[in-house]
Amino acid sequence: VQLQASGGGSVQPGGSLNVSCAASGRTFGVDVMGWFRQAPGKEREFVGRNWRGEILDYADSVKGRFTISGDYAKKTVYLQMNSLKPEDTGVYYCAAGTINSRSSSLYQYWGQGTEVTVSS
């Protein structure tokens, strides 16, 4: 399974960005697609996940500001980020797996990461 992420960029605080991710290859059994991020000098952290296109889960730090959507059948997922804050800055990674979890260690497949910078 290969994950291709795109989007991201730089924006001022309060702005919006969108990142997308598409899975290809042997995607049968891949039921969860999630987003993680890693800020400079910090550990990778959970942002949100989409389980079988039906169940959405978000980290408290982004709840109400970020929205995950996508097409489960096509194994694509989008992350719409609104009301961005400087602390949202980091590299955002798309991940996919078969186990519904917030733990990054349980995701078998990872995209290359895309940078998001929120700064005035």
Side-chain angles (χ1 to χ4, degrees):
V1 175
Q2 296 80 43
L3 299 178
Q4 181 65 47
S6 60
S10 297
V11 67
Q12 293 185 342
S16 299
L17 286 173
N18 184 281
V19 290
S20 62
C21 178
S24 61
R26 294 180 178 270
T27 60
F28 180 79
V30 172
D31 287 332
V32 59
M33 296 187 74
W35 290 98
F36 292 80
R37 67 185 181 188
Q38 187 165 17
K42 294 188 176 182
E43 294 186 354
R44 190 172 299 185
E45 65 174 0
F46 169 78
V47 174
R49 61 183 168 160
N50 184 330
W51 167 253
R52 293 181 176 176
E54 297 177 354
I55 299 174
L56 302 177
D57 179 33
Y58 300 94
D60 289 343
S61 59
V62 306
K63 199 172 294 183
R65 301 187 297 121
F66 290 13
T67 302
I68 292 176
S69 62
D71 188 326
Y72 171 67
K74 295 182 178 180
K75 297 296 190 287
T76 58
V77 63
Y78 307 97
L79 178 65
Q80 176 65 39
M81 301 179 284
N82 298 327
S83 302
L84 282 162
K85 305 175 181 179
E87 51 263 44
D88 294 318
T89 294
V91 178
Y92 281 68
Y93 296 92
C94 172
T98 57
I99 299 174
N100 191 16
S101 173
R102 288 187 168 198
S103 174
S104 61
S105 63
L106 296 180
Y107 285 76
Q108 296 101 314
Y109 312 106
W110 291 83
Q112 78 279 18
T114 183
E115 290 199 36
V116 169
T117 302
V118 185
S119 174
S120 55

